[in-house]
Amino acid sequence: MTHVALFDYGAGNLHSLKKGLEAGGARVTITTDWDEALDRDALVLPGVGSFGAAVQGLGKAGPRVRRALEGGLPCLGICLGMQLLFPVSEEAGGEGVGLIPGRVRRVRARTVPQIGWNDVDVTADPILEGVGGELTAYYANSFVCEVDEALEDEVVVARSTYEDDTFAAAVRMGRTWGLQFHPEKSSRPGLRILANFIEEVTR
Amino acid sequence: MLRPRVIVCLDVQDGRVVKGTRFKGLRDVGDPVELAKRYEREGADEIVFLDISASHEGRGTLLDTVRRTAEVLFIPLTVGGGVRNVQDMDALLRAGADKVSVNSGAVRDPGMLTRCAERFGSQCVVISIDAARDGEDWYHYTHGGRRRTDLEAVSWARECVERGAGEVLLTSIDRDGVRTGYDLELTRAVAEAVTVPVIASGGAGNARHLEEGFSGGKAAAVLLAGILHDGLTTVAELKEALEGWGIPVRPVSRAADRRVRAAAELDRLVFNGDGLIPVVAQDGTEGAVLMVAWANREALEKTLETGVMHYWSRSRKALWRKGETSGNTLSLLSLHADCDGDTLLARVSPSGPACHTGDPTCFGEGAVPDMSIPEGGVLEELWSVLEARDRDRPEGSYTTRLLADEDLRLKKLGEEATELIVSLVRGEARASEEAADLVYHLLVALKGAGRSWREVEGELERRRG
């Protein structure tokens, strides 16, 4: 059985995500220890807290995490967890994992945070398949990821638009995925995405 | 496009959902975990738990309730009530809340909003404002609407957002429980004053009120409770009405309808490299799996057109009608694609043995399901059927109708009891049928109220002891 490490930065709800991954067929261990987190079949970076707090949770492990992901460790970053895959954020200082070139910037809209269900326009990606037609997913974020232009078309696999701001809903680089929305809060289609990720891990 | 949200609020006290207006006349309406899950199925975009337990024990029970809910609920959960500091918020988020709403705590110490936002992100800090009109303005109340503050509601909302709140849950005390519609003036005043989403609350009586909350009130979300708990309507019905009026709510995600009814729908199927798709034939009444064979598009078109199963023979490279030589045809009841669209299930009615060996099924007797009663007894089995009906709510099912309509359900319970009494008084043989009706309606009534059969068994066991 696929054994997933769910990293705990020390804030927020991990129960739904744990149960969602389990429903997708994985065994899940919640951990605050990077040695353990990088030693499982896959790493999940959850989406709760602030960038500053998450960078603190990352501590000195950033380069190690990056090497592990570049070495093929499957990873799913959700919301803040996706943002942590980038080098820097406007939200707070400190360095993220820096696997994906680009930056994290504030949503350009009148009403921030973006809270609620938004449509997701999927280009193509195995983990976003089989969600039953149009995908509408739950977001709760004030910041979004901007991939460097040279790689944008290759890395961004889904987009959403909030007010007039179009941003990356999902990114993929090798065996690492990032989702700006919360699959564990997106009802049935979200659970399917988590199950798809577990399936990709076993592939 | 961001979808306008429909949020369901559950008032929770000591681990149970109670209702009434928020401030008086409470009555137990069920288990919060089960109800939250039910509203997710109906299409709710979010659930709010408002804890109204006053006691310390109630607090511990709340954390447990939140934990159990987070494990089964896959839409956002906001929890509020009695949150005083960063530690309280941390405990609720850790238990499984996605957002936490703060009321009195922020009045006492507005700085807590900033500390919470810095630690957890403003997207999970909700400021709850209970406002009542006084002349031209509205004033904020604490303690469940009992204590007036000198905070003018609109500027208080603005201050809270500046301090870090990421969402405003705005309840009109004047409208709460009255069902005459949201206070649109109040809602719009706050929505225009702040740059975070505003949830309109207090006063929802029908779908039109929700529509007004979005259009006239400029709310990002509307919150409702009573009309759902009373069974007057469902989230699905409300959303259907809203869609009809052009409000782009998130469509209710039903169990995908994969039934193939017409030839045009064959486009959805995935045929293999040879243009074929496997078709599993199942006896539609007995449940037995009868046979598996291949079909191409033409065979499926013929099947849909004639109502009897047609296949493609790979050996003879020809279309064939099942039973064309044996006479044992399979009449189609319904055809369903699987989740990937690459296999079909045909529910059929066989006119004779399906297998060429003369056996009823190609898989032998073992494929015929055992219809005998499981070990737990017939009541247990009936209960599990009710749970499935409650989960799936199949259209046209009498149980679904009863589960959706509290008045009908309870009326029937009374009627069945009376019919049994009459039958017993008259000494009729059919008294046992009446008793069976009563037991069925009793179980449905328990199910509909969010109770469980286990509780009843437990109580009986306790009395035996």
Side-chain angles (χ1 to χ4, degrees), chain B residues 214-330:
Chain B
F214 293 124
S215 59
K218 309 262 183 237
V222 292
L223 181 141
L224 64 159
I227 53 171
L228 293 174
H229 306 330
D230 282 352
L232 296 177
T233 183
T234 64
V235 179
E237 270 176 21
L238 292 170
K239 280 193 152 182
E240 199 177 318
L242 287 169
E243 263 184 333
W245 296 321
I247 304 287
V249 288
R250 178 179 68 103
V252 177
S253 88
R254 294 189 191 84
D257 179 12
R258 303 197 172 96
R259 185 158 170 197
V260 179
R261 293 179 176 83
E265 292 174 308
L266 298 175
D267 291 339
R268 294 195 318 215
L269 302 179
V270 181
F271 293 89
N272 71 8
D274 299 327
L276 301 176
I277 187 168
V279 184
V280 179
Q282 179 189 34
D283 187 315
T285 46
E286 298 285 317
V289 175
L290 302 176
M291 61 178 285
V292 176
W294 295 88
N296 59 7
R297 199 185 165 100
E298 190 191 355
L300 294 174
E301 282 170 359
K302 274 270 180 217
T303 299
L304 289 167
E305 186 192 315
T306 60
V308 293
M309 295 306 298
H310 284 68
Y311 297 96
W312 175 258
S313 165
R314 288 179 301 170
S315 51
R316 287 182 283 122
K317 301 213 181 316
L319 191 74
W320 61 287
R321 193 187 72 214
K322 164 73 185 146
E324 62 191 4
T325 47
S326 68
N328 297 323
T329 57
L330 300 174

Side-chain angles (χ1 to χ4, degrees), chain A residues 9-186:
Chain A
Y9 319 113
N13 167 25
L14 300 179
H15 292 273
S16 308
L17 182 52
K18 179 171 188 278
K19 287 289 159 187
L21 289 164
E22 284 170 355
R27 183 178 154 205
V28 181
T29 301
I30 295 179
T31 179
T32 54
D33 174 15
W34 283 109
D35 287 334
E36 184 179 20
L38 299 179
D39 197 36
R40 301 294 169 216
D41 301 328
L43 170 67
V44 174
L45 300 171
V48 284
S50 63
F51 191 82
V55 164
Q56 263 184 19
L58 192 59
K60 293 192 173 73
R64 273 175 64 206
V65 176
R66 181 173 170 170
R67 276 197 303 278
L69 304 191
E70 282 170 347
L73 175 71
C75 173
L76 177 64
I78 293 169
C79 193
L80 176 67
M82 166 185 180
Q83 297 173 4
L84 202 59
L85 297 169
F86 288 73
V88 287
S89 171
E90 279 179 14
E91 186 181 5
E95 274 180 45
V97 172
L99 176 80
I100 303 177
R103 66 188 188 112
V104 180
R105 63 160 173 86
R106 198 172 164 79
V107 173
R108 294 188 198 110
R110 179 197 174 268
T111 304
V112 178
Q114 170 186 217
I115 293 180
W117 298 75
N118 202 340
D119 299 340
V120 180
D121 186 10
V122 179
T123 321
D125 194 84
I127 81 162
L128 299 172
E129 276 170 11
V131 293
E134 314 262 293
L135 174 60
T136 302
Y138 182 76
Y139 284 92
N141 62 313
S142 303
F143 294 84
V144 292
C145 300
E146 210 168 76
V147 179
D148 274 358
E149 218 171 303
L151 281 172
E152 204 197 335
D153 286 347
E154 185 188 330
V155 171
V156 179
V157 294
R159 289 178 174 80
S160 285
T161 300
Y162 177 58
E163 295 187 14
D164 294 323
D165 193 4
T166 297
F167 59 91
V171 291
R172 179 195 186 166
M173 186 176 258
R175 304 256 284 161
T176 295
W177 284 265
L179 303 174
Q180 187 59 67
F181 56 86
H182 287 268
E184 78 281 16
K185 292 287 144 192
S186 298

